[in-house]
Amino acid sequence: MKNYKTMVLSNQEISPGYYRMRILAPGFGASARPGQFVMFRVQTSLPPLLRRPFGIFRTGFLPPDCEGQPPKEYLELLYKVVGRGTNIMAGLHHGDRVEVLGPLGRGFDPGNPAEEKILVGGGIGLVPLYMLASHLTKTSSVRLLMGGRTREDILAVTEFERLGVETYVSTDDGSLGEEGLVTEVLKRKLEKFPGASVYACGPMPMIEAVQRICAERKVPLQVSLEALMACGLGACLGCVVKGAGHSEEIPRYLCTCKEGPVFRAEQLDW
Ligand code: FES
């Protein structure tokens, strides 16, 4: 983990309200694992903004420029504009100064390569699944079930397809792919691949539905949870969730930032 005082390389709107930001981050890719996250802060002379957590979409290198400079390593975030902080991010341009702390947290366990892998992403919850897919496709057959409210919530599907991932899209309004919930697609896929492992990230109602479906079928599940985080380092306890076996008499809490954001389903209190 390192604190990068660095700059934005590019920042583009890829769908209404959704942006892709590349940040200069030399050496970042060697330490980042699928499912980890960063704490991001805009360096500004205005009152300092809190750091905010963002899942790592991928890392990579820009092609060398014509002046013979070495390729620049970048960290890529996909994010949705939801409030003041992300609104400020959406206005950043090449060269703007930012601060990135990471990689942080525990990522996905790739599991047994012999198993089919089913990734379930809801909206911007797709973000941590791309690095996971690029890792899993080296050894396993991988399917992505991607759900959103409308077609505008469906992101980066062709990038998963380029990795060799079979993709299935569903939207609540039927504007892209199948009409309906991604969890209905999951039920069908688990009938066909009952020995699969499932990895999910998205809004909590979707995660809870995925957990019920997997628990009924005894399918191993890992979930990446989204939480409000102030420190990202296990210090403020602002991101705790209830762990398995939690009760009023014996409370059990887990820090999403330190012990997660990825958990095996059986670690949590549902
Ligand atoms: Fe502070 Fe997790 S964000 S403990």
Side-chain angles (χ1 to χ4, degrees):
M1 184 250 294
K2 184 174 156 187
N3 192 29
Y4 291 81
K5 293 196 172 179
T6 182
M7 66 174 213
V8 173
L9 293 171
S10 61
N11 188 29
Q12 291 171 325
E13 191 170 29
I14 53 169
S15 183
Y18 292 95
Y19 286 75
R20 180 193 300 270
M21 181 184 286
R22 284 187 177 174
I23 299 161
L24 184 65
F28 188 87
S31 55
R33 300 283 169 266
Q36 288 189 296
F37 67 100
V38 295
M39 295 298 282
F40 174 97
R41 178 160 58 190
V42 180
Q43 288 185 310
T44 166
S45 53
L46 298 170
L49 289 169
L50 283 178
R51 292 178 195 271
R52 282 152 205 270
F54 291 92
I56 300 163
F57 183 67
R58 73 171 143 214
T59 61
F61 289 87
L62 294 181
D65 60 23
C66 47
E67 288 162 11
Q69 297 289 325
K72 290 186 174 123
E73 184 168 3
Y74 64 81
L75 149 72
E76 190 171 303
L77 308 178
L78 295 191
Y79 63 96
K80 183 178 182 181
V81 174
V82 291
R84 180 168 169 256
T86 43
N87 229 326
I88 292 171
M89 282 175 74
L92 296 178
H93 298 99
H94 175 87
D96 285 340
R97 307 299 304 173
V98 295
E99 212 175 305
V100 171
L101 177 69
L104 297 167
R106 289 204 181 160
F108 291 103
D109 173 357
N112 179 352
E115 291 164 349
E116 300 277 338
K117 312 292 185 189
I118 299 179
L119 318 186
V120 186
I124 198 69
L126 162 111
V127 168
L129 302 179
Y130 182 83
M131 259 180 91
L132 176 66
S134 57
H135 189 89
L136 294 177
T137 46
K138 291 178 190 151
T139 53
S140 308
S141 154
V142 183
R143 288 168 178 78
L144 169 71
L145 319 183
M146 174 65 199
R149 276 177 301 134
T150 75
R151 62 182 307 133
E152 289 164 355
D153 300 317
I154 305 298
L155 310 169
V157 168
T158 51
E159 289 165 66
F160 280 81
E161 288 170 346
R162 269 185 236 130
L163 295 173
V165 174
E166 225 174 275
T167 60
Y168 302 83
V169 170
S170 61
T171 48
D172 297 357
D173 66 358
S175 54
L176 193 66
E178 180 177 322
E179 180 174 347
L181 297 175
V182 69
T183 44
E184 293 305 310
V185 187
L186 175 63
K187 286 181 194 166
R188 291 205 308 271
K189 292 298 161 203
L190 287 177
E191 268 167 38
K192 202 164 166 196
F193 305 107
S197 295
V198 175
Y199 305 78
C201 184
M204 211 49 205
M206 183 203 90
I207 295 272
E208 285 167 352
V210 168
Q211 187 273 332
R212 284 192 296 274
I213 291 165
C214 290
E216 279 163 20
R217 293 160 178 79
K218 302 199 180 349
V219 166
L221 167 67
Q222 293 175 52
V223 296
S224 174
L225 298 186
E226 293 168 357
L228 293 174
M229 293 183 190
C231 72
L233 298 167
C236 72
L237 303 185
C239 65
V240 293
V241 290
K242 290 176 187 165
H246 172 90
S247 67
E248 287 201 359
E249 297 74 48
I250 310 173
R252 292 183 205 275
Y253 291 103
L254 297 167
C255 267
T256 305
C257 66
K258 194 99 177 144
E259 290 151 287
V262 176
F263 296 98
R264 284 176 287 105
E266 57 272 23
Q267 288 178 274
L268 299 172
D269 179 60
W270 298 95

